Amino acid sequence: DTGVSQNPRHKITKRGQNVTFRCDPISEHNRLYWYRQTLGQGPEFLTYFQNEAQLEKSRLLSDRFSAERPKGSFSTLEIQRTEQGDSAMYLCASSTSRDRGRGKETQYFGPGTRLLVL
Amino acid sequence: GQNIDQPTEMTATEGAIVQINCTYQTSGFNGLFWYQQHAGEAPTFLSYNVLDGLEEKGRFSSFLSRSKGYSYLLLKELQMKDSASYLCAVRAIQGGSYIPTFGRGTSLIVHP
C-alpha cells in the first residue's frame, strides 16, 4: 500500500460550479477525515467517517459541502456552487481504530487537492 | 471549543537545538500530536503524547504537561531539511468522537 491518495491534485473552477474530490485511504484504515487548509493556517476539521458512517461534521461547514463514503473505503467531498472563499488545500487523512489500544491512532495524510475558485 | 497557541515563526542555526512551544485549552483531552509539514506537502506525523512527560524519538522529543495545558517539541542537531512548519494538534472528544484540532503551525527556518 502506497498510502493515502487524493484526486485530482489540482482543480481550477469558476465561481458557481460544483467540484468533487476523491480520497482513497490506506486499505485497512476504517477512519477517514477531511480537512481544509489555507495559507499560514493549520488544517481545519471538516468531517469524519468511521467505516461508511459520517459521525462528525464541523458546525462551521456550509451546507454546500457534502461528503460520502458509501462502501467504507474511498470517500468523496463535493462542494456545490463554489465561492472564491472555498479556495484552499483539501486534505484527507485516514487512521485505524486498532491503534487506539496503543493510544496513538496516528492520522496519515494524503497529498491534498488544491482548489482555486476564480 | 478549543484554543491552541504556538509561535508563528522561529529561526535557528544548523546544528543547534530549538524548542517549539504549544499551549492549549480544551475539555475532554485525549492526546497531543506534533506534525511536520513542508511547503506544499501534507503533514507527516512526528510524535504523540497522552500522558505527562517526555517522549524521545531520535533527534525529536516532545513533552506534555496536561495540568498546564502545555507541550513542546524539541529538535536537536538541526539540519537544513528541518526547515518546515510544525503543527501542534490536540485531540478531544467532540460529540461521541475524538477529533483533532490543529494549531496554526510554527514556521521554522534553519540557516547555515
Side-chain angles (χ1 to χ4, degrees):
Chain A
D1 193 344
T2 56
V4 180
S5 62
Q6 293 186 244
N7 289 288
R9 295 292 306 277
H10 300 89
K11 179 71 177 179
I12 300 174
T13 191
K14 292 183 180 179
R15 190 175 51 189
Q17 298 295 306
N18 299 343
V19 294
T20 300
F21 308 142
R22 175 176 170 129
C23 170
D24 287 87
I26 294 172
S27 58
E28 64 268 25
H29 284 187
N30 59 338
R31 294 180 170 176
L32 188 147
Y33 302 77
W34 283 100
Y35 294 90
R36 175 173 59 194
Q37 187 176 26
T38 54
L39 197 63
Q41 303 291 322
E44 174 195 7
F45 170 76
L46 295 179
T47 190
Y48 156 65
F49 290 85
Q50 178 158 309
N51 300 313
E52 66 275 9
Q54 187 175 20
L55 297 186
E56 291 295 334
K57 187 174 177 180
S58 170
R59 288 189 293 271
L60 302 176
L61 200 61
S62 161
D63 58 8
R64 296 184 296 106
F65 287 68
S66 62
E68 295 182 340
R69 195 182 183 199
K71 297 181 180 178
S73 56
F74 74 91
S75 175
T76 57
L77 177 69
E78 181 182 17
I79 309 174
Q80 296 181 325
R81 305 180 303 280
T82 53
E83 302 173 355
Q84 288 181 325
D86 297 331
S87 296
M89 173 76 87
Y90 289 84
L91 293 165
C92 174
S94 71
S95 65
T96 172
S97 55
R98 283 194 296 272
D99 281 347
R100 286 219 61 211
R102 294 189 287 275
K104 184 180 288 185
E105 198 177 341
T106 302
Q107 292 191 358
Y108 296 86
F109 283 83
T113 296
R114 187 172 294 282
L115 172 66
L116 177 61
V117 182
L118 301 175
Chain B
Q2 298 179 52
N3 187 27
I4 300 172
D5 192 35
Q6 50 182 132
T8 302
E9 187 175 292
M10 298 183 71
T11 59
T13 306
E14 192 176 15
I17 300 173
V18 70
Q19 177 175 312
I20 303 174
N21 297 324
C22 172
T23 57
Y24 65 90
Q25 294 173 310
T26 189
S27 57
F29 176 84
N30 188 250
L32 187 145
F33 297 79
W34 283 96
Y35 286 83
Q36 180 191 62
Q37 186 175 27
H38 285 100
E41 299 181 9
T44 55
F45 169 80
L46 289 178
S47 70
Y48 169 78
N49 297 71
V50 68
L51 300 175
D52 291 351
L54 189 67
E55 294 282 340
E56 296 185 85
K57 188 190 296 185
R59 295 190 299 115
F60 292 67
S61 303
S62 58
F63 171 83
L64 175 67
S65 169
R66 289 171 295 170
S67 62
K68 295 181 179 178
Y70 168 70
S71 173
Y72 67 73
L73 179 70
L74 193 71
L75 292 79
K76 303 175 186 175
E77 301 168 16
L78 280 173
Q79 303 174 9
M80 298 297 288
K81 67 178 182 179
D82 296 330
S83 293
S85 181
Y86 290 85
L87 300 163
C88 172
V90 174
R91 184 169 66 194
I93 193 160
Q94 189 172 309
S97 307
Y98 289 97
I99 303 297
T101 299
F102 284 79
R104 296 179 61 174
T106 298
S107 178
L108 174 66
I109 301 168
V110 180
H111 55 83

